Amino acid sequence: NAGVMQNPRHLVRRRGQEARLRCSPMKGHSHVYWYRQLPEEGLKFMVYLQKENIIDESGMPKERFSAEFPKEGPSILRIQQVVRGDSAAYFCASSPSGTAAEKLFFGSGTQLSVL
Amino acid sequence: AQSVTQLGSHVSVSEGALVLLRCNYSSSVPPYLFWYVQYPNQGLQLLLKYTSAATLVKGINGFEAEFKKSETSFHLTKPSAHMSDAAEYFCAVSVSNTGNQFYFGTGTSLTVIP
């Protein structure tokens, strides 16, 4: 069984460009979470999606950032007009039910570097 | 509101020594508690979780954690450290609400000295 797949593993962008990060959850999982990890800061929640719906986006900046999880295809985290401060590791996690007792399955992350 | 505090961002132990990683949580409702491990350039993997059954939870690789409600703690221990235990460890709390249910601590980097 394939785990949570994230691509690309490494993404380099220049300031002002767009970054698109993809996440394919585990088979049968309809709940997706995006986290950002900065050194010494741990994992910061960004957004929680269920198929075609954004459930909670309270951790996502209001500008330049957006996320989607279409009926077909992977979840996409999109960052427009990237700035150096967006450089971080972005992790996607999925779960089958979205319940509090259910563990999250994590992908290997996308390391975004903004030049 | 829920939150997690991990005391000590860096912990060093000698190989064979006791590992103790601290986690305290804050939650207005009974929480579910998790410990995850992250190896370099990888995503997080579940070590163990507490879901209101036994307060002493055993996980993979010889790790265990004890839920202490009176101390609002969920410290992670392992009797004897192995070199392969060197990694980043994250404590997380989850509650039965809608929306974002998982709150992670800032992590503890464990170094094992030969």
Side-chain angles (χ1 to χ4, degrees):
Chain A
N1 286 331
V4 178
M5 303 300 292
Q6 288 188 250
N7 66 82
R9 286 297 306 271
H10 301 275
L11 182 61
V12 179
R13 286 287 178 266
R14 296 190 181 280
R15 281 180 296 169
Q17 290 184 320
E18 178 181 286
R20 290 170 70 89
L21 288 63
R22 294 176 184 78
C23 169
S24 295
M26 285 187 71
K27 187 176 180 181
H29 290 195
S30 58
H31 299 257
V32 166
Y33 303 75
W34 284 94
Y35 289 85
R36 178 162 65 177
Q37 185 178 33
L38 289 165
E40 307 295 326
E41 292 189 18
L43 283 166
K44 297 293 186 184
F45 166 77
M46 298 184 74
V47 61
Y48 163 38
L49 310 102
Q50 193 180 354
K51 277 289 186 181
E52 299 185 270
N53 293 304
I54 296 175
I55 307 300
D56 181 353
E57 56 182 349
S58 60
M60 201 155 65
K62 298 263 186 288
E63 297 180 355
R64 301 189 299 108
F65 285 73
S66 62
E68 63 177 12
F69 189 17
K71 187 176 180 181
E72 301 291 338
S75 175
I76 306 286
L77 179 67
R78 186 184 189 197
I79 311 173
Q80 295 178 297
Q81 299 175 336
V82 297
V83 300
R84 289 222 171 100
D86 297 332
S87 296
Y90 291 84
F91 287 93
C92 166
S94 72
S95 78
S97 63
T99 59
E102 192 70 54
K103 75 174 186 179
L104 298 180
F105 293 80
F106 281 83
S108 298
T110 293
Q111 181 65 51
L112 174 64
S113 298
V114 180
L115 304 179
Chain B
Q2 287 67 236
S3 67
V4 174
T5 301
Q6 290 184 242
L7 289 175
S9 57
H10 298 275
V11 170
S12 294
V13 299
S14 297
E15 190 175 15
L18 171 72
V19 176
L20 170 61
L21 305 182
R22 299 178 187 274
C23 172
N24 287 87
Y25 69 91
S26 171
S27 176
S28 55
V29 297
Y32 300 106
L33 295 159
F34 303 77
W35 274 100
Y36 284 84
V37 61
Q38 183 182 32
Y39 297 103
N41 300 313
Q42 295 186 26
L44 280 67
Q45 304 170 34
L46 183 72
L47 270 179
L48 48 81
K49 68 175 182 179
Y50 166 76
T51 57
S52 76
T55 56
L56 182 62
V57 182
K58 293 189 184 297
I60 62 172
N61 301 338
F63 284 93
E64 61 182 38
E66 186 172 8
F67 172 67
K68 292 187 177 180
K69 186 178 178 180
S70 61
E71 299 177 7
T72 60
S73 70
F74 190 56
H75 302 332
L76 181 71
T77 61
K78 182 174 179 177
S80 176
H82 192 272
M83 295 299 293
S84 61
D85 295 327
E88 189 89 16
Y89 291 81
F90 292 92
C91 182
V93 64
S94 174
V95 295
S96 296
N97 285 330
T98 57
N100 170 37
Q101 300 160 335
F102 295 86
Y103 300 85
F104 285 85
T106 52
T108 297
S109 177
L110 176 66
T111 300
V112 181
I113 304 166

